[in-house]
């Protein structure tokens, strides 16, 4: 019976880049972390392998770490040059071979031979095979590969392929274990070992989120296995396997929300490929089972293309009662309008778009500054300072107010102590899983306690990595002006829209903000200003924010800049 995972302990040490073996320290930080915190999800064989690894001498451990970080599992000994090992690579490899970590003379397919050796090495070694295939001796490598690999499908030791070449090829064993360790540490297989191992972790401060058994994404080993199956399904799709074949291996729906979100992404991609290949039934099924934010719109558009109008209409009406996000709401309106015309139904009324306030400045720019900077300098006055903030101010205020919600130890959010934010930040259910915490944070805006809370967080968390707070930009001066001039009601409106779709709505804010602390109207003590230079125009996501501000009586305008003396 497996023991319970170890409770969260002190943060592991981080290696100094001045140490030539810093990568080994960071590599072993990952291995030891998983060994300590996920031991109940590892088999006895896996924990035995980890203990065997950590008991090896330093040169062998360092060579193993180097190979794990590299691409593939096959390596040429003579091409491995790591003087920091303090021992010849061949000697360290011999130690690893004796411990079962590498295979000394593996059988390899010809395709791997082409990957490992240069064309200059291959031509003389494969001369007889090249001639027998009827190819010219100077044939390009691509031609040789396309011709010879199908003719020689059986793997063989390297001396069979290159008998006169002084070389030694080794194969790294147990890469499936290292993939499993990487998954349990990062929470994904998108990040590779180098993303962590080759980074100087000590230069950055990280929020210390309690990592307990309850906050883990993987409740049991079957969850890890399920993720690995889905990852391999996605790899097969990327490599060109038919979606019909991959569909047979997609795991069933999971009661683990984090895994189900990953499954939704896989089904969405499978559905798109099935649709592209003409298998519309499979595509509709995959979209229907996927919780991906775009799946429902794809499903509706496909039904519409198939002229299954009534089915699409019923689905669109049901979806309109509970849109997943604002851009889906817009897409549903357009689809329902088209379907209504085809079915003789009443079309939804198009929302009225508010008019944007605009003004134009004609300015000189002899020093070639950016258009935003020139506008800022012109608009700034002693009693009405202007700051260039773009996406940093609103996001920063949000990040400070909602710090506790963003760094809550929700399952599937934090995997190790070196994260700048939750890994599920852009997942469809990110807010739902923290709804009470966000409601509590936004509730401070109505109670009047938010200013002191934001100030305290700014002081206490100074310099700690956050996905929303850019510390060098959010100075104390800007923070105080924002708290003095921006009404709590405006912040609440903006923050709630931000929460509707964090990925899309965290950008598109106006470039400048003008503070007017002495204005008699408390709702007009600031103004956001989007600046557009000659030939520039508003982007869709900017327009959506601007129209939102206008519709909620939040002061905003668009400044069009023309250069003095420029031809019309």
């Amino acid at each position: 019976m497996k023991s319970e995972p170890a409770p969260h302990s002190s943060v592991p040490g981080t290696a100094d880049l001045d140490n030539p073996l810093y990568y080994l320290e960071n590599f072993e930080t990952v291995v030891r972390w998983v060994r300590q915190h996920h031991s109940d999800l590892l088999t006895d064989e896996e924990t035995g392998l980890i203990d065997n690894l950590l008991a090896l001498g330093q040169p062998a451990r360092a060579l193993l770490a180097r190979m794990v970080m590299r691409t593939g599992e096959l390596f040429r000994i003579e091409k491995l040059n790591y003087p920091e090992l303090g021992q010849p690579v061949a000697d360290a490899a011999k130690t690893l071979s004796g411990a079962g970590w590498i295979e000394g003379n593996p059988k390899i397919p010809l395709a791997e031979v082409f990957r490992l050796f240069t064309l200059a090495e291959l031509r003389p070694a494969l001369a007889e095979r090249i001639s027998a295939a009827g190819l010219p001796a100077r044939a390009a490598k691509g031609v040789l590969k396309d011709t010879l690999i199908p003719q020689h499908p059986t793997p063989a030791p390297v001396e069979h392929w290159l008998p006169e070449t002084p070389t030694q090829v080794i194969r790294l064993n147990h890469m499936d274990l290292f993939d499993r360790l990487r998954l349990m540490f990062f929470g994904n297989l998108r990040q590779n070992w180098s993303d962590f191992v080759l980074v100087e972790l000590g230069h950055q401060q990280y929020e210390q989120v309690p990592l307990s058994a309850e906050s883990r994404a993987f409740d049991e080993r079957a969850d890890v296995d399920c993720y690995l199956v889905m990852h391999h399904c996605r790899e097969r799709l990327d490599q060109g396997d038919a979606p019909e074949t991959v569909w047979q291996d997609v795991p069933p729906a999971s009661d683990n929300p984090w895994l189900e979100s990953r499954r939704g992404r896989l089904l969405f991609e499978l559905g798109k490929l099935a649709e592209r290949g003409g298998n519309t039934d499979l595509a509709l099924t995959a979209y229907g089972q996927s919780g991906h934010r775009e799946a429902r719109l794809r499903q509706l558009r496909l039904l519409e293309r198939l002229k299954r109008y009534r089915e699409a209409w019923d689905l669109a009406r049901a979806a309109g009662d509970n849109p997943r996000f604002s851009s889906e709401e817009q897409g549903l309106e357009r689809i329902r309008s088209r379907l209504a015309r085809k079915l003789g139904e009443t079309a939804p009324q198009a929302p009225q778009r508010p008019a944007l306030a605009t003004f134009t400045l004609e300015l000189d720019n002899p020093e070639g500054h950016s258009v935003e900077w020139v506008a800022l300098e012109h608009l700034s006055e002693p009693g009405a300072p202007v700051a260039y903030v773009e996406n940093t101010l609103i996001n920063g205020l949000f990040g400070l107010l909602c710090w506790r919600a963003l760094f809550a130890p929700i399952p599937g959010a934090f995997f190790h102590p070196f994260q700048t934010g939750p890994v599920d930040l852009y997942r469809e259910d990110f807010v739902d899983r923290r709804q009470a915490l966000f409601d509590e944070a936004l509730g401070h805006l109505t109670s009047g306690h938010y200013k002191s809370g934001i100030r305290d967080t700014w002081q206490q968390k100074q310099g700690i990595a956050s996905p929303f707070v850019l510390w060098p930009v959010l100075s104390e001066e800007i923070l105080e002006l924002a708290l003095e001039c921006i009404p709590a009601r405006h912040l609440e409106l903006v923050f709630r829209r931000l929460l509707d779709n964090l990925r899309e709505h965290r950008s598109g804010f106006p470039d400048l903000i003008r503070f007017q602390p002495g204005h008699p109207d408390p709702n007009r003590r600031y103004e956001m200003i989007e600046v557009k230079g000659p030939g520039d125009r508003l982007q869709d996501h900017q327009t959506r924010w601007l129209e939102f501000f206008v519709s909620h009586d939040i002061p905003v305008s668009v400044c069009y800049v023309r250069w003095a003396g420029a031809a019309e």
Side-chain angles (χ1 to χ4, degrees), residues 296 314-324 328-329 332 336:
R296 196 155 54 180
D314 292 341
L315 178 60
R317 287 187 62 189
D321 294 334
N322 186 27
R324 290 174 177 169
E328 185 191 53
E329 189 172 6
L332 288 171
R336 288 173 64 187

Side-chain angles (χ1 to χ4, degrees), residues 63-264:
L63 177 59
L64 182 64
R66 282 292 194 185
M67 290 192 293
V68 168
M69 283 189 290
R70 293 180 60 159
T71 301
E73 300 177 10
L74 294 168
F75 306 95
R76 295 172 62 179
I77 285 284
E78 66 273 14
K79 295 295 183 180
L80 299 176
N81 181 28
Y82 302 119
E84 77 278 1
L85 299 184
Q87 184 182 72
V89 168
D91 292 346
K94 186 176 180 180
T95 300
L96 290 174
S97 179
W101 288 103
I102 63 173
E103 184 180 350
N105 188 29
K107 293 181 179 180
I108 58 177
L110 185 54
E112 288 293 329
V113 175
F114 274 98
R115 185 181 69 82
L116 291 168
F117 294 87
T118 66
L119 185 57
E121 292 170 313
L122 291 168
R123 276 177 173 156
L126 300 175
E128 291 186 11
R129 293 181 174 90
I130 294 171
S131 176
L135 297 173
R138 306 299 296 176
K141 193 172 186 178
V143 174
L144 296 179
K145 288 173 61 178
D146 292 344
T147 305
L148 296 182
I149 290 175
Q151 294 180 5
H152 303 279
T154 305
V158 68
E159 61 265 21
H160 171 79
W161 303 114
L162 294 85
E164 303 299 325
T165 303
T167 186
Q168 182 185 358
V169 173
I170 58 175
R171 184 194 303 278
L172 178 61
N173 295 329
H174 307 302
M175 271 307 294
D176 55 342
L177 170 62
F178 291 114
D179 286 341
R180 188 175 289 267
L181 295 177
R182 181 161 57 98
L183 170 59
M184 287 191 282
F185 186 81
F186 288 118
N188 64 73
L189 289 172
R190 181 185 66 259
Q191 291 174 271
N192 59 40
W193 287 95
S194 298
D195 292 336
F196 182 87
V197 173
L198 298 182
V199 171
E200 187 179 12
L201 301 168
H203 80 284
Q204 176 70 69
Q205 298 180 65
Y206 303 90
E207 178 72 353
Q208 294 310 299
V209 179
L211 298 174
S212 64
E214 291 73 27
S215 67
R216 298 188 309 175
F218 301 114
D219 297 324
E220 52 192 40
R221 184 178 176 85
D223 292 340
V224 184
D225 294 337
C226 179
Y227 186 105
L228 290 169
V229 170
M230 290 191 291
H231 177 74
H232 293 145
C233 284
R234 179 59 190 268
E235 283 186 326
R236 289 167 57 195
L237 289 174
D238 292 342
Q239 292 163 4
D241 279 16
E244 294 80 4
T245 303
V246 176
W247 169 257
Q248 304 300 320
D249 297 322
V250 174
S254 170
D255 57 4
N256 181 319
W258 183 75
L259 281 177
E260 187 57 22
S261 175
R262 311 292 303 199
R263 181 174 176 270

Side-chain angles (χ1 to χ4, degrees), residues 390-392 394-396 398 425-426 466-470 497-499 501-509 541 545:
E390 198 174 14
N391 300 315
T392 60
I394 296 298
N395 281 319
F398 169 80
L425 182 63
Y426 300 128
S466 162
F468 290 96
V469 183
L470 192 61
R497 184 174 190 268
L498 185 60
L499 285 169
N501 189 334
L502 286 169
R503 184 191 294 276
E504 292 184 11
H505 294 170
R506 65 178 301 161
S507 63
F509 291 102
H541 69 305
W545 265 120

Side-chain angles (χ1 to χ4, degrees), residues 294-347:
E294 298 176 34
R296 196 155 54 180
L297 287 178
R298 293 283 302 218
Q299 184 183 17
L300 284 165
R301 293 187 187 114
L302 180 52
L303 286 170
E304 187 179 11
R305 186 161 59 84
L306 295 172
K307 296 183 170 52
R308 293 161 61 172
Y309 301 133
R310 178 57 61 182
E311 189 177 346
W313 173 259
D314 292 341
L315 178 60
R317 287 187 62 189
D321 294 334
N322 186 27
R324 290 174 177 169
F325 53 100
S326 60
S327 55
E328 185 191 53
E329 189 172 6
Q330 296 170 355
L332 288 171
E333 288 173 358
R334 288 191 289 268
I335 289 172
R336 288 173 64 187
S337 295
R338 293 196 301 268
L339 292 172
R341 290 193 297 270
K342 293 179 173 70
L343 296 171
E345 299 282 358
T346 302

Side-chain angles (χ1 to χ4, degrees), residues 223-474:
D223 292 340
V224 184
D225 294 337
C226 179
Y227 186 105
L228 290 169
V229 170
M230 290 191 291
H231 177 74
H232 293 145
C233 284
R234 179 59 190 268
E235 283 186 326
R236 289 167 57 195
L237 289 174
D238 292 342
Q239 292 163 4
D241 279 16
E244 294 80 4
T245 303
V246 176
W247 169 257
Q248 304 300 320
D249 297 322
V250 174
S254 170
D255 57 4
N256 181 319
W258 183 75
L259 281 177
E260 187 57 22
S261 175
R262 311 292 303 199
R263 181 174 176 270
R265 296 183 204 177
L266 171 63
L267 289 174
F268 181 65
E269 294 303 319
L270 188 147
K272 289 197 296 184
L273 289 171
E275 181 180 356
R276 200 172 301 150
N279 190 341
T280 55
D281 288 340
L282 177 57
L284 290 171
T285 301
Y287 292 147
Q289 292 187 21
S290 171
H292 189 278
R293 61 175 63 246
E294 298 176 34
R296 196 155 54 180
L297 287 178
R298 293 283 302 218
Q299 184 183 17
L300 284 165
R301 293 187 187 114
L302 180 52
L303 286 170
E304 187 179 11
R305 186 161 59 84
L306 295 172
K307 296 183 170 52
R308 293 161 61 172
Y309 301 133
R310 178 57 61 182
E311 189 177 346
W313 173 259
D314 292 341
L315 178 60
R317 287 187 62 189
D321 294 334
N322 186 27
R324 290 174 177 169
F325 53 100
S326 60
S327 55
E328 185 191 53
E329 189 172 6
Q330 296 170 355
L332 288 171
E333 288 173 358
R334 288 191 289 268
I335 289 172
R336 288 173 64 187
S337 295
R338 293 196 301 268
L339 292 172
R341 290 193 297 270
K342 293 179 173 70
L343 296 171
E345 299 282 358
T346 302
Q349 187 172 359
Q352 190 96 17
R353 299 186 65 179
L356 304 179
T358 66
F359 65 97
T360 301
L361 297 176
E362 186 170 317
L363 303 173
D364 291 312
N365 187 18
E367 298 181 4
H369 291 302
S370 70
V371 66
E372 294 87 0
W373 178 256
V374 175
L376 180 153
E377 287 287 291
H378 177 81
L379 294 170
S380 290
E381 299 175 5
V386 179
Y388 177 73
V389 294
E390 198 174 14
N391 300 315
T392 60
L393 179 58
I394 296 298
N395 281 319
L397 293 171
F398 169 80
L400 292 172
L401 180 68
C402 299
W403 191 281
R404 182 166 167 261
L406 293 169
F407 288 96
I410 301 293
F414 292 92
F415 289 79
H416 57 82
F418 307 102
Q419 290 183 218
T420 59
V423 299
D424 64 334
L425 182 63
Y426 300 128
R427 235 176 59 189
E428 289 77 4
D429 61 350
F430 176 79
V431 176
D432 289 343
R433 300 171 71 209
R434 300 161 174 83
Q435 192 65 64
L437 291 169
F438 281 118
D439 287 344
E440 178 186 1
L442 269 57
H444 294 313
L445 293 167
T446 57
S447 70
H449 297 151
Y450 73 98
K451 291 184 180 181
S452 60
I454 287 177
R455 289 190 184 102
D456 289 346
T457 303
W458 188 89
Q459 290 285 351
Q460 296 166 9
K461 304 298 183 181
Q462 187 69 220
I464 294 178
S466 162
F468 290 96
V469 183
L470 192 61
W471 294 108
V473 176
L474 191 59

Side-chain angles (χ1 to χ4, degrees), residues 16-36:
D16 186 340
L17 290 186
D18 290 335
N19 175 6
L21 290 172
Y22 75 96
Y23 63 87
L24 176 61
E25 288 190 46
N26 287 344
F27 175 77
E28 291 183 352
T29 289
V30 175
V31 174
R32 293 179 190 277
W33 178 266
V34 177
R35 174 70 172 85
Q36 178 182 2

